[in-house]
Amino acid sequence: SQLPYYCCGEVVRGFGRGSKELGVPTANFPEHVVDSLPADLTTGIYYGWGCVGTGDIYKMVMSIGWNPFYKNIKKSVETHIIHQFTDDFYGEILRIVIVGYIRPEKSFDSLDALIAEIHSDIEEAKKQLDLPERRKLKERYFNNSHK
Ligand code: ADP
Ligand code: MG
């Protein structure tokens, strides 16, 4: 398997599908970062660790999906950091380590069903990342020795 998989890049603007309005903002990577991911990393929802700039390392959930902006021929990678930030961080460097897979992409009958699923993904991510072997990866992949 390709996991754990480390990757980093600048946070760029998405196409405003209203993630923030749903209470789950998702930080997008630029196209070249998405293109550099292993092609066999299947689309779906993943969990792992994430860190913005020189900030702390937090749990995250992320999706690898098909990008509607490019008529679904390009992938998009969107990370929701499980932390309440005071400000947006467009232009900053986001570093993530993708640790495990949660589920494939789905379509939902209602916005409520989508939101409920996102919350269950977040709970699953938190639970998985509390396991000692997953927690160990947190320090291994981020060199925050400048702090
Ligand atoms: P966009 O369509 O530009 O991606 P979103 O509504 O998905 O807009 O919001 C994403 C932006 O919100 C991120 O790029 C980041 O600057 C900011 N943000 C604030 N808190 C978080 C968080 N906890 N996780 C991810 N992004 C966050
Ligand atoms: Mg987004």
Side-chain angles (χ1 to χ4, degrees), residues 126-142:
K126 286 182 178 169
K127 194 176 87 187
Q128 292 291 335
L129 291 162
D130 275 336
L131 298 173
E133 63 269 32
R134 309 266 154 76
R135 202 166 265 289
K136 252 187 272 170
L137 297 169
K138 181 179 171 179
E139 312 303 331
R140 186 170 310 158
Y141 282 86
F142 300 96

Side-chain angles (χ1 to χ4, degrees), residues 11-20 24-29 77-80 90:
V11 176
V12 298
R13 285 186 185 273
F15 28 85
R17 279 187 298 190
S19 310
K20 205 171 281 172
V24 275
T26 58
N28 287 62
F29 278 132
V77 174
E78 305 192 13
T79 304
H80 172 67
Y90 291 111

Side-chain angles (χ1 to χ4, degrees), residues 25-74:
T26 58
N28 287 62
F29 278 132
E31 210 177 309
H32 70 92
V33 175
V34 177
D35 290 342
S36 73
L37 289 179
D40 58 346
L41 217 51
T42 52
T43 59
I45 311 300
Y46 293 82
Y47 62 85
W49 300 102
C51 162
V52 176
T54 57
D56 291 334
I57 304 160
Y58 299 108
K59 294 171 178 174
M60 63 79 169
V61 283
M62 52 93 74
S63 77
I64 301 179
W66 296 104
N67 192 330
F69 188 78
Y70 293 99
K71 300 190 160 65
N72 299 326
I73 57 159
K74 281 207 152 294

